[in-house]
Short mmCIF file of all heavy atoms in Angstrom, two decimals:
data_model
loop_
_atom_site.label_atom_id
_atom_site.label_comp_id
_atom_site.label_asym_id
_atom_site.label_seq_id
_atom_site.Cartn_x
_atom_site.Cartn_y
_atom_site.Cartn_z
N ARG H 297 -30.08 47.00 -24.91
CA ARG H 297 -28.89 47.83 -25.08
C ARG H 297 -28.48 47.99 -26.54
O ARG H 297 -27.44 48.57 -26.83
CB ARG H 297 -27.73 47.25 -24.27
CG ARG H 297 -27.97 47.34 -22.76
CD ARG H 297 -26.79 46.84 -21.96
NE ARG H 297 -27.06 46.99 -20.53
CZ ARG H 297 -26.28 46.54 -19.57
NH1 ARG H 297 -25.16 45.90 -19.88
NH2 ARG H 297 -26.59 46.72 -18.30
N GLY H 298 -29.28 47.43 -27.43
CA GLY H 298 -29.00 47.60 -28.86
C GLY H 298 -27.90 46.70 -29.39
O GLY H 298 -27.35 46.97 -30.46
N VAL H 299 -27.59 45.62 -28.66
CA VAL H 299 -26.57 44.69 -29.15
C VAL H 299 -27.17 43.90 -30.32
O VAL H 299 -28.28 43.37 -30.21
CB VAL H 299 -26.13 43.72 -28.03
CG1 VAL H 299 -25.10 42.74 -28.54
CG2 VAL H 299 -25.57 44.51 -26.84
N PRO H 300 -26.48 43.82 -31.46
CA PRO H 300 -27.01 43.07 -32.60
C PRO H 300 -27.34 41.63 -32.23
O PRO H 300 -26.62 41.00 -31.45
CB PRO H 300 -25.87 43.14 -33.63
CG PRO H 300 -25.09 44.35 -33.25
CD PRO H 300 -25.18 44.45 -31.77
N ILE H 301 -28.42 41.11 -32.81
CA ILE H 301 -28.89 39.78 -32.44
C ILE H 301 -27.84 38.71 -32.73
O ILE H 301 -27.72 37.72 -31.99
CB ILE H 301 -30.22 39.45 -33.16
CG1 ILE H 301 -30.83 38.17 -32.60
CG2 ILE H 301 -30.01 39.35 -34.67
CD1 ILE H 301 -31.20 38.23 -31.15
N GLY H 302 -27.04 38.89 -33.78
CA GLY H 302 -25.99 37.92 -34.07
C GLY H 302 -24.96 37.86 -32.96
O GLY H 302 -24.49 36.78 -32.57
N VAL H 303 -24.60 39.02 -32.41
CA VAL H 303 -23.66 39.07 -31.29
C VAL H 303 -24.28 38.44 -30.05
O VAL H 303 -23.62 37.70 -29.31
CB VAL H 303 -23.23 40.52 -31.02
CG1 VAL H 303 -22.35 40.60 -29.77
CG2 VAL H 303 -22.50 41.11 -32.22
N VAL H 304 -25.56 38.72 -29.81
CA VAL H 304 -26.25 38.15 -28.65
C VAL H 304 -26.21 36.63 -28.71
O VAL H 304 -25.88 35.96 -27.73
CB VAL H 304 -27.72 38.65 -28.59
CG1 VAL H 304 -28.47 37.92 -27.47
CG2 VAL H 304 -27.76 40.15 -28.35
N MET H 305 -26.55 36.06 -29.87
CA MET H 305 -26.55 34.60 -30.01
C MET H 305 -25.14 34.03 -29.84
O MET H 305 -24.96 32.95 -29.27
CB MET H 305 -27.12 34.22 -31.38
CG MET H 305 -28.60 34.47 -31.55
SD MET H 305 -29.63 33.50 -30.39
CE MET H 305 -30.07 34.76 -29.18
N ALA H 306 -24.14 34.75 -30.32
CA ALA H 306 -22.76 34.28 -30.17
C ALA H 306 -22.34 34.26 -28.70
O ALA H 306 -21.67 33.32 -28.24
CB ALA H 306 -21.82 35.16 -30.98
N ILE H 307 -22.73 35.28 -27.96
CA ILE H 307 -22.40 35.33 -26.53
C ILE H 307 -23.10 34.22 -25.78
O ILE H 307 -22.50 33.53 -24.93
CB ILE H 307 -22.77 36.71 -25.94
CG1 ILE H 307 -21.94 37.82 -26.59
CG2 ILE H 307 -22.60 36.72 -24.43
CD1 ILE H 307 -20.44 37.65 -26.45
N ILE H 308 -24.39 34.00 -26.07
CA ILE H 308 -25.12 32.91 -25.43
C ILE H 308 -24.47 31.56 -25.76
O ILE H 308 -24.30 30.70 -24.89
CB ILE H 308 -26.60 32.91 -25.89
CG1 ILE H 308 -27.30 34.21 -25.49
CG2 ILE H 308 -27.33 31.71 -25.32
CD1 ILE H 308 -27.41 34.45 -24.02
N ALA H 309 -24.08 31.39 -27.03
CA ALA H 309 -23.47 30.14 -27.46
C ALA H 309 -22.11 29.92 -26.81
O ALA H 309 -21.67 28.78 -26.64
CB ALA H 309 -23.33 30.12 -28.97
N LEU H 310 -21.42 30.99 -26.42
CA LEU H 310 -20.09 30.87 -25.83
C LEU H 310 -20.15 30.39 -24.38
O LEU H 310 -19.21 29.74 -23.90
CB LEU H 310 -19.38 32.23 -25.90
CG LEU H 310 -17.95 32.31 -25.37
CD1 LEU H 310 -17.02 31.36 -26.13
CD2 LEU H 310 -17.44 33.76 -25.47
N ILE H 311 -21.24 30.69 -23.69
CA ILE H 311 -21.32 30.35 -22.26
C ILE H 311 -21.25 28.85 -22.04
O ILE H 311 -20.53 28.37 -21.15
CB ILE H 311 -22.62 30.95 -21.65
CG1 ILE H 311 -22.51 32.48 -21.61
CG2 ILE H 311 -22.85 30.39 -20.25
CD1 ILE H 311 -23.79 33.17 -21.16
N GLY H 312 -21.95 28.06 -22.88
CA GLY H 312 -21.95 26.59 -22.71
C GLY H 312 -20.55 25.98 -22.84
O GLY H 312 -20.11 25.25 -21.94
N PRO H 313 -19.82 26.26 -23.92
CA PRO H 313 -18.46 25.71 -24.03
C PRO H 313 -17.54 26.17 -22.90
O PRO H 313 -16.64 25.43 -22.49
CB PRO H 313 -17.98 26.24 -25.39
CG PRO H 313 -19.23 26.42 -26.18
CD PRO H 313 -20.25 26.86 -25.19
N MET H 314 -17.75 27.37 -22.39
CA MET H 314 -16.92 27.85 -21.28
C MET H 314 -17.16 27.02 -20.02
O MET H 314 -16.25 26.85 -19.19
CB MET H 314 -17.19 29.33 -21.01
CG MET H 314 -16.59 30.27 -22.05
SD MET H 314 -14.78 30.10 -22.21
CE MET H 314 -14.66 29.15 -23.72
#
Side-chain angles (χ1 to χ4, degrees):
R297 293 183 178 174
V299 179
I301 189 63
V303 175
V304 173
M305 290 297 103
I307 296 302
I308 298 296
L310 182 60
I311 291 174
M314 286 301 103

